[in-house]
Structures are given as C-alpha cells and as structure tokens.
Amino acid sequence: MRHLKLALTAAAALSVATPAVAEDVNIGILLGYTGPLETLAPPIGDAAKLALQHVNEQGGILGGEAKFTIGDSTCADATAAATAADRLINADGVDAIVGAMCSGATISAANTAAIPAGVVMVSPSASSPAVTTVEDNDLLFRVGPSDAYQGEVVARMLLAKGINDIAITYVNNDYGKGFADALATAYEAGGGDVMISEAHEEGKSDYRAELGSLAASGSQNLIILAYASGSGQTILRQAIEAGDFVTYFGGDGMVADALVTGINPSAVEGMLATRQGRLETDGTSVYEKLATDAGLDPIASFGPQAYDAAFLLALAFEQKGNTDREGVNEALRSVATAPGEVILPGEWEKAKKLIAEGKEINYEGAGGNHEFDEAGDVAGAIVEMTIKDGVFVEVGPLK
C-alpha cells in the first residue's frame, strides 16, 4: 500500500501542479429521499453537501468546482435505485457517487449502473453483509460497519440486559435478512434463545397476522429490523395495540423521530435501538464544530459518514489529477490510508497544498479513520440509543 501511495502521489503532483484545463468534479448524491427512510435522507445529503462546500470555499478542485447532482434511490425499490443511478451516471455525467443509502438500493445501483460504467460508489449507510461480497471490481466502498458486526454487538447488549429470548421480524431485503441472520447467530452463540425469526414485506398497512405468529412463539421481546417511516413504524404501533410484547428493540433503520408518529410516547419510553456511531479521532470533534456552525446536527444518523464519503472522493480526484473514472478507487484507498500527513474534516486547503507537493496524506474524518479493507469495508462503532420523552437520544458506545 505504501508503494501504491507513493506512486499515486508522485503522479498526482505532476498533474495537479500545472493542470492544463480546469475541471469541475460532479459528485452524485444518491439517497432515499422518498420511501421508508425519507426523514433520514435530508440530513445525510446536507452533510455530503457541506463537505463539497468546504472544498469550494478553500480553492476548489482541479482548478474548478466540486458540484453535486441529487438522485433518489427510494431505499425500498431496487429498480428505482438502479434507474436513478443510471440517470446520474449516463445523463448527468457524475464522476463518482456518495450512496446509495439502503443496502438493497446500493447493491442494485452498483450492479446495474456503477460497476459497468466504472464509477466508484461510497455509501455512508449501507450495512448489509451482502455488500461485502458484491463482485465490484473494487468500485464499491462504505464508511460504516457491516451488520455482521452490528449483529454481534446487539446480541451482546441484549444478553447483558438480561433479555434471554427474542422474537425477530425483519424487512425482507438485503438489509433486514443480513442483520437478522447476524443477530440470531451471535445471540444463540451467547446463550440466548431466538424463539422465532420471520421476514415481512415492506409497504403493507396491516401486520397483525405476522404479529400473531411472532407472539405465539412465547417471547415478549420483539426485535424489529425495518424502517422508521415504513413497515417498522406500522409493526411497532400494531404490536403496542395488541399488547403481546413488553420489550421492543429497533435496528438503525428505526432510529428516527418519525418512528413514534401516531404512537403514545409513554408506550415506547425506554425503547432500545442501535445505530452506527463514530470511532473517535481528532476529526470527530472538528466535524462537530463545522456541522454546528453550518446549522447541521453533528450526530445525525449517518451524517458524519456522508461528510467523509464526499470529502474522501474529492481528495481522491484532487490526488489523481483529473476526472477520469479509471484509478479513482486506488486514489481513494491512498488518501484514506496511513502513512501520510493527517487531514481532518474541513482541511481542504492543507490537503490540496500537500498533494501539489507530492506528499502523502491520510484523512481522519468525522466518522473515524477509514482504513478500507480488501472488500472496501471499514471498522466502525455502534452506539446504544433509547427513546426519551418521545425522541431518540444516544446512551453511549457499545462493544
């Protein structure tokens, strides 16, 4: 990796120092602006835009501007995600993509549009273990941990709280199945009893039959791995109405205040959940101030990761010295990997100068120090969440 970084930075120094023609870089932002996670998408997109704003405020990229084009993956519709990615790449001409947001949408967009076109995607939030195994020609990356890890963490958390049996309902897609399988395996390995684990379909108005089957298992602890503005909210509301369960847990797709819409807040007070957190580095505190100054929530779900995805892509293009799609993946790995002088969120001017001098850089971001493995995955952190006075609040990190 060190030799790769030296070669890339040396080549980039030659091209960046005296660019023949200024080039704008167009980054696609592909998120679920409609669908079951539509309330989570705007803060994620705003964080990615903030990264590009910082680039433009400090001298721009490749002699031009860092621009963005929005695409709507819908999260739940793989065909819509593929169509949106195709439009971004082949009609709007984006050079790389931040996204997609949900796992199934990410896999569909990558396989259908991005991989055939040689376009790098960096997802801030796709967490299914299935993302790891996509035959992606090293074009699909993510800056948050896999649910293979989150499932283990959740299992340990539940067992530590004395929850020794569970009933799992999961949305029938890559995200839901991957999370449920990882959780069930780790939970049973730790001595817990998975009384039932069943898939449900997104978009129904009535899940009472599914809830009857789950309640018949005998467990009073319901695990809902679904979406806050979709099936997860409906299942939670109807489960509370039926009164068959005592304890509720939601995965990261449930962590949105929209979850409690139409539900008596007292019925979900203290409900448990988890979501991606941040591996604390100097960059996390820097981002907190940058986001706050810009009027953004610095700990919005997947916001820090979206900032990092956009900033890393900008750094990769600046180091590569042009907007050609070929080689973006190698440059991305280089700017994210030690050794090199540390670059923190917002430090575009510093990074640009170092790249022009042919020096190595190592971005330590808002969500952590993203060292990509062979599959384009990173280590990550999971935090415990709970509902207090009708809104989600962070309890603290989990191991």
Side-chain angles (χ1 to χ4, degrees):
M1 180 62 73
R2 179 178 176 84
H3 296 307
L4 172 62
K5 288 189 68 165
L6 288 170
L8 282 166
T9 50
L14 294 174
S15 57
V16 173
T18 55
V21 179
E23 296 186 77
D24 293 334
V25 174
N26 187 4
I27 303 295
I29 299 176
L30 180 62
L31 304 174
Y33 285 100
T34 61
L37 284 180
E38 61 187 9
T39 58
L40 291 185
I44 297 172
D46 289 344
K49 295 173 192 176
L50 180 62
L52 302 182
Q53 177 185 321
H54 290 156
V55 170
N56 291 328
E57 288 174 346
Q58 297 178 46
I61 184 170
L62 299 180
E65 288 185 74
K67 298 184 175 181
F68 64 85
T69 304
I70 299 296
D72 181 12
S73 70
T74 77
C75 252
D77 187 335
T79 300
T83 300
D86 179 75
R87 184 180 300 111
L88 285 173
I89 292 166
N90 296 310
D92 299 316
V94 301
D95 301 301
I97 292 175
V98 173
M101 185 171 155
C102 294
S103 298
T106 299
I107 293 170
S108 178
N111 281 329
T112 303
I115 295 170
V119 171
V120 166
M121 295 175 60
V122 183
S123 174
S125 53
S127 57
S128 171
V131 174
T132 301
T133 58
V134 173
E135 296 293 332
D136 63 359
N137 298 328
D138 200 35
L139 295 170
L140 180 57
F141 298 78
R142 55 180 165 186
V143 287
S146 166
D147 282 331
Y149 174 65
Q150 185 169 196
E152 294 175 2
V153 172
V154 171
R156 288 195 292 269
M157 180 193 76
L158 294 173
L159 291 167
K161 292 180 181 296
I163 299 173
N164 296 315
D165 64 74
I166 56 175
I168 303 174
T169 180
Y170 61 90
V171 63
N172 190 18
N173 60 20
D174 290 300
Y175 163 71
K177 187 177 189 311
F179 197 164
D181 288 349
L183 170 57
T185 298
Y187 188 75
E188 290 182 330
D193 190 357
V194 179
M195 308 288 280
I196 187 172
S197 180
E198 289 189 345
H200 66 262
E201 300 302 321
E202 178 60 46
K204 294 174 61 176
S205 61
D206 189 339
Y207 292 96
R208 291 178 179 85
E210 290 88 340
L211 285 166
S213 176
L214 293 162
S217 71
S219 178
Q220 293 189 316
N221 306 303
L222 181 61
I223 312 300
I224 307 172
L225 305 179
Y227 303 128
S229 296
S231 61
Q233 203 272 349
T234 306
I235 288 172
L236 178 61
R237 175 169 47 80
Q238 293 177 351
I240 291 170
E241 291 170 355
D244 291 322
F245 300 93
V246 174
T247 302
Y248 300 97
F249 167 84
D252 47 6
M254 298 277 279
V255 182
D257 293 341
L259 181 69
V260 301
T261 302
I263 296 176
N264 182 346
S266 64
V268 291
E269 184 76 8
M271 176 179 168
L272 301 171
T274 54
R275 72 173 182 187
Q276 288 186 21
R278 303 171 299 171
L279 290 173
E280 294 294 328
T281 68
D282 290 341
T284 57
S285 58
V286 169
Y287 174 74
E288 284 184 8
K289 184 177 188 310
L290 292 172
T292 301
D293 289 348
L296 305 184
D297 177 2
I299 59 169
S301 292
F302 310 112
Q305 289 80 10
Y307 183 98
D308 290 345
F311 206 81
L312 278 166
L313 284 171
L315 288 170
F317 280 107
E318 185 72 19
Q319 176 159 289
K320 206 171 75 70
N322 57 56
T323 59
D324 293 346
R325 292 168 177 173
E326 185 175 356
V328 175
N329 55 336
E330 289 96 342
L332 178 66
R333 288 182 176 278
S334 175
V335 298
T337 304
E341 188 158 345
V342 171
I343 300 297
L344 303 178
E347 292 189 335
W348 178 258
E349 187 175 12
K350 174 183 175 182
K352 188 178 178 75
K353 181 176 182 294
L354 290 169
I355 290 171
E357 293 171 352
K359 296 180 179 177
E360 296 180 71
I361 62 172
N362 174 26
Y363 178 68
E364 294 189 0
N369 187 12
H370 305 299
E371 302 272 339
F372 295 110
D373 67 13
E374 185 176 350
D377 288 349
V378 297
I382 303 298
V383 296
E384 179 181 348
M385 307 292 294
T386 190
I387 294 179
K388 183 178 180 180
D389 298 328
V391 296
F392 276 104
V393 296
E394 188 172 305
V395 176
L398 294 166
K399 294 182 180 181

